[in-house]
């Protein structure tokens, strides 16, 4: 399997091969994080609740990193209030990036995975025997195309909105802006010809694109200045979003209030007032 570059500094520490054993793993995500969302989508679509259950960190993030609070508590470790504690328990003295998603192995009592791209791939393949709804998201005949497209999406779409939102200067923003919207045009043309990104069926690649589209109108368009076009100005992409979010297993993974609170509160270097906007009204989410 091709490893992504979500968090290269810790790949050797936390990337393990998953084992298809019921109730062995616990998945920590952030409902706000699009990289967590791709993993949560796999879990929900395949019906892997019995194989691994899910906990989200709190929406508000402070200087100490991802937290748990009274609304979002760690069910396995009652004394834990910071995600960093789980990293420390897994690797004492660890000082790397303490990211989500995180897969906790109950048997080994430690983190065994934290790379979202490969974790989504392994869940969709190695845990498929445990799925209640065993959709083949990575069919053999398309697996190379899916992995390649996922890497392209990660670089040009999923990460590029952050390069715009966190750009340190105008030139960096302009470069990211051009690259992102060129990629959006490519996707629009692709989806005018076919209903899904790879062939005629839902695949893992769709679950890489979808989290960015879900956040586009409510967060990225204003907060990250992705305001070249509204999503509705991409009719194929917009109808694709509407169609996929009508799938119950996809819809129930979306917590827009959590998403908005996280971005507008936690990124106080972008939004120093921490005011969370009431809008926009999203017809596809009602």
């Amino acid at each position: 399997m091709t490893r992504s570059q979500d968090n290269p500094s810790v790949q050797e520490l936390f990337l393990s091969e998953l084992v298809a054993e019921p109730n062995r793993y616990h998945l920590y995500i952030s409902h706000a994080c699009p990289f967590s969302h791709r993993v949560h989508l796999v879990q929900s679509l395949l019906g892997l609740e019995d194989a691994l259950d899910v906990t989200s960190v709190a929406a508000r993030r402070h200087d100490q990193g991802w937290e748990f609070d009274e609304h979002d508590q760690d069910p396995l470790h009652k004394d834990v209030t910071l995600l960093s504690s789980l990293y420390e328990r897994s690797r004492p003295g660890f000082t790397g990036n303490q990211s989500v998603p995180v897969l906790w192995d109950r048997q080994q009592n430690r983190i065994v995975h934290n790379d979202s791209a490969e974790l989504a791939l392994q869940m969709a393949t190695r845990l498929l025997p445990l799925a209640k709804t065993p959709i083949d998201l990575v069919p053999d005949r398309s697996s190379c195309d899916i992995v390649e497209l996922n890497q392209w999406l990660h670089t040009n779409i999923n990460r590029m909105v952050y390069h715009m939102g966190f750009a340190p200067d105008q030139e960096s923003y302009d470069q990211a802006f051009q690259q992102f919207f060129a990629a959006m045009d490519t996707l629009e043309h692709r989806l005018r010809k076919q209903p899904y990104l790879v062939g005629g069926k839902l695949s893992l690649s769709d679950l890489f694109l979808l989290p960015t589209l879900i956040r586009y109108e409510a967060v990225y368009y204003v907060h990250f200045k992705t305001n070249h076009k509204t999503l509705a100005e991409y009719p194929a992409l917009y109808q694709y979003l509407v169609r996929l979010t009508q799938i119950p297993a996809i819809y129930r993974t979306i917590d827009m209030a959590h998403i908005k609170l996280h971005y507008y509160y936690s990124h106080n270097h972008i939004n120093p007032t921490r005011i969370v906007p009431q809008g926009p009204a999203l017809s596809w989410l009602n």
Side-chain angles (χ1 to χ4, degrees), residues 113-212:
H113 221 300
N114 71 339
D115 181 283
S116 67
E118 175 142 339
L119 181 53
L121 181 60
Q122 287 207 33
M123 286 170 57
T125 53
R126 292 183 177 275
L127 299 189
L128 191 58
L130 301 178
K132 293 180 180 177
T133 52
I135 304 167
D136 190 359
L137 295 171
V138 193
D140 289 341
R141 66 184 180 278
S142 305
S143 59
C144 291
D145 292 337
I146 289 169
V147 170
E148 182 178 354
L149 180 55
N150 289 354
Q151 292 175 332
W152 183 89
L153 289 166
H154 182 83
T155 300
N156 294 284
I157 296 292
N158 309 140
R159 290 298 306 172
M160 200 52 58
V161 291
Y162 285 87
H163 290 311
M164 280 186 279
F166 296 159
D169 52 57
Q170 188 69 49
E171 182 180 1
S172 299
Y173 168 78
D174 290 345
Q175 290 176 352
F177 186 95
Q178 294 299 325
Q179 185 170 340
F180 175 79
F181 283 104
M184 287 287 281
D185 288 341
T186 297
L187 292 170
E188 174 70 11
H189 292 308
R190 188 177 190 128
L191 289 169
R192 287 177 184 174
K193 301 174 183 178
Q194 58 193 54
Y196 301 101
L197 289 178
V198 180
K201 297 177 66 175
L202 185 73
S203 76
L204 188 60
S205 293
D206 298 297
L207 308 188
F208 275 54
L209 172 58
L210 191 57
T212 298

Side-chain angles (χ1 to χ4, degrees), residues 193-248:
K193 301 174 183 178
Q194 58 193 54
Y196 301 101
L197 289 178
V198 180
K201 297 177 66 175
L202 185 73
S203 76
L204 188 60
S205 293
D206 298 297
L207 308 188
F208 275 54
L209 172 58
L210 191 57
T212 298
L213 299 184
I214 286 169
R215 289 156 179 78
Y216 188 95
E217 297 167 285
V219 175
Y220 299 149
Y221 188 82
V222 174
H223 191 55
F224 281 176
K225 307 179 186 68
T226 65
N227 58 358
H228 175 55
K229 289 184 180 181
T230 65
L231 196 56
E233 291 178 273
Y234 292 101
L237 276 166
Y238 189 77
Q239 289 305 314
Y240 168 86
L241 167 68
V242 171
R243 181 162 42 86
L244 291 189
T245 52
Q246 289 174 349
I247 299 171

Side-chain angles (χ1 to χ4, degrees), residues 241-260:
L241 167 68
V242 171
R243 181 162 42 86
L244 291 189
T245 52
Q246 289 174 349
I247 299 171
I250 289 177
Y251 186 88
R252 63 173 171 258
T253 67
I254 303 169
D255 188 335
M256 191 56 70
H258 189 115
I259 289 169
K260 289 170 62 176

